[in-house]
Amino acid sequence: LDPISTQPRKTSFRTRHRAFQAFEPTAAVHYGEQRSAPYSMMDRTRAVFTQTNNVMGTINVMYAIKEFAPECHLVKLGTMGEYGTPNIDIEEGYITIEHNGRSDTLPYPKQGGSFYHLSKCHDSANMLFCTKAWGLRTTDLNQGVVYGVATEETMMAPELINRLDYDAVFGTALNRFCIQAAVGHPMTVYGKGGQTRGFLDIRDTVRCIQIACDNPAPPGEMKIYNQFTEQFSVNELAAMVTEAGKKIGLDPQVINVPNPRTELEEHYYNAKNSKLGDLGLEPHLMSDALLDSLLNIIVQYKDSVDQRLLLPAVNWKESASVGQNVAANK
């Protein structure tokens, strides 16, 4: 896709067509989407690009599977953000409802909080439709917030070190807090800090993909896994980084800044996540040792941090039809 015109290239489906014919895959892991909520809320162009790239891309993949590899199992990255923050427990993909004396099991209601999250909601609806209509095998991985920078493979040599996104557009809260603590910048908690989400170690992300591939859905069924291992509020994350930072000689500070997002800052949150554990996931839970390791790695590279990118730069309510350059405003 052209990120300026948001028009699909003519070769978009043709490329997938050739790939599926050449490789004849038994499983296709689909992570090829624009992945940032703030990016999708910057302006109209980026909102349209996010929806077009993500939703149309997934439809093209499913057509390629249907026509050239109908037994292929599609494993697609979703997000826990599809659910929003309802005042009831979040079930794992589906919910059984009793209504006026009748009962049915239906997809859990979706309440995406950005154009990015809504693109994932649309993906899920399209996947379920194609699964039923064409008898596809599909799995939707509703992933929580990923933290960490190292896997066993990347620790084999310094040249293999992973990327760590920390900026306000593509970075996640825990990674950003660790960067801020390492460089002496106050940790920026958005609003009241009661926002609660599911989190998982980057090593568990890789393991979950393997589990999904090893346990394909039968034809005509879409499996949905809530892919996270623990739940924390933003305030809890800041407190953990503060304690871990003090142990290695840092002096982390916390400030509350106006929340650029339109979201509840204090809410009920209890999401179910038993399915991957039942299939063998042994999670790497958040620990002092893990945070110590992450902070020590970041300290080694702290001179590369651009502190201009640490403060919130995209406001949900100010998203406009005219584009802006975030970096130029900082």
Side-chain angles (χ1 to χ4, degrees), residues 32 70 101 178 232 277 282:
C178 289
F232 300 108
E282 298 178 357

Side-chain angles (χ1 to χ4, degrees), residues 35-36 38 163-173 175-176 179 190 306 308-311:
R35 59 187 174 82
S36 166
R163 62 185 289 158
L164 182 74
D165 292 314
Y166 61 85
D167 63 281
V169 176
F170 286 95
T172 58
N175 286 350
R176 188 176 74 250
I179 288 283
Y190 293 174
D306 185 346
R308 297 175 301 170
L309 305 177
L310 294 175
L311 293 175

Side-chain angles (χ1 to χ4, degrees), residues 26-29 73 75 139 207-216 225:
T26 57
V29 179
H73 173 213
V75 178
T139 296
R207 176 65 180 137
C208 288
I209 299 169
Q210 185 66 59
I211 290 174
C213 290
D214 290 343
N215 295 272
Y225 300 135

Side-chain angles (χ1 to χ4, degrees), residues 19 63 65-66 104 117 122 133 137 147 149 153 196 210 241 284 293 302 305 312-313 315 319 321:
Y63 265 101
I65 290 174
K66 174 182 181 289
D104 202 356
H117 290 105
H122 303 328
R137 306 168 181 264
Y147 60 83
V149 68
E153 291 79 9
T196 301
Q210 185 66 59
V241 174
H284 298 82
S293 173
K302 69 178 183 179
V305 174
N315 189 294
S319 182
S321 60

Side-chain angles (χ1 to χ4, degrees), residues 7-259:
Q7 294 300 312
R9 294 193 185 118
K10 293 180 180 179
T11 58
S12 182
F13 176 71
R14 191 177 307 152
T15 300
R16 290 165 174 81
H17 162 184
R18 289 198 297 265
F20 277 89
Q21 280 193 317
F23 289 99
E24 299 181 351
T26 57
V29 179
H30 178 20
Y31 268 47
E33 299 196 333
Q34 194 292 103
R35 59 187 174 82
S36 166
Y39 182 90
S40 76
M41 297 301 298
M42 288 172 67
D43 52 52
R44 181 199 61 82
T45 299
R46 291 173 174 89
V48 172
F49 169 72
T50 298
Q51 294 258 324
T52 305
N53 181 76
N54 293 3
V55 178
M56 298 305 105
T58 298
I59 289 175
N60 280 335
V61 169
M62 290 189 291
Y63 265 101
I65 290 174
K66 174 182 181 289
E67 296 186 12
F68 306 111
E71 295 301 313
C72 178
H73 173 213
L74 173 61
V75 178
K76 174 170 179 311
L77 180 66
T79 170
M80 288 297 296
E82 294 183 39
Y83 297 119
T85 53
N87 199 36
I88 59 173
D89 290 353
I90 296 174
E91 301 299 327
E92 203 151 3
Y94 299 94
I95 185 171
T96 299
I97 298 175
E98 301 281 346
H99 182 65
N100 291 341
R102 303 186 67 84
S103 175
D104 202 356
T105 298
L106 302 168
Y108 195 95
K110 304 298 179 68
Q111 302 181 81
S114 72
F115 286 118
Y116 156 75
H117 290 105
L118 288 167
S119 76
K120 295 291 191 176
C121 296
H122 303 328
D123 279 342
S124 296
N126 289 336
M127 285 174 62
L128 184 59
F129 168 75
C130 293
T131 299
K132 292 181 176 180
W134 301 337
L136 301 185
R137 306 168 181 264
T138 58
T139 296
D140 204 2
L141 297 176
N142 286 336
Q143 182 172 273
V145 182
V146 178
Y147 60 83
V149 68
T151 66
E152 292 181 3
E153 291 79 9
T154 64
M155 293 298 288
M156 293 172 65
E159 294 81 7
L160 299 176
I161 191 167
N162 205 348
R163 62 185 289 158
L164 182 74
D165 292 314
Y166 61 85
D167 63 281
V169 176
F170 286 95
T172 58
L174 182 59
N175 286 350
R176 188 176 74 250
F177 287 171
C178 289
I179 288 283
Q180 289 171 328
V183 301
H185 188 291
M187 289 181 279
T188 47
V189 171
Y190 293 174
K192 297 178 181 178
Q195 303 93 315
T196 301
R197 302 291 187 267
F199 290 80
L200 77 162
D201 188 293
I202 190 171
R203 292 169 292 182
D204 294 333
T205 299
V206 177
R207 176 65 180 137
C208 288
I209 299 169
Q210 185 66 59
I211 290 174
C213 290
D214 290 343
N215 295 272
E221 179 180 323
M222 183 168 89
K223 292 185 176 182
I224 302 177
Y225 300 135
N226 289 347
Q227 185 177 305
F228 71 96
T229 57
E230 297 177 276
Q231 296 178 174
F232 300 108
S233 71
V234 174
N235 285 330
E236 289 172 329
L237 293 178
M240 288 188 290
V241 174
T242 297
E243 290 302 311
K246 289 178 178 178
K247 292 179 181 178
I248 64 169
L250 302 176
D251 183 27
Q253 302 295 318
V254 179
I255 59 172
N256 293 79
V257 299
N259 192 348

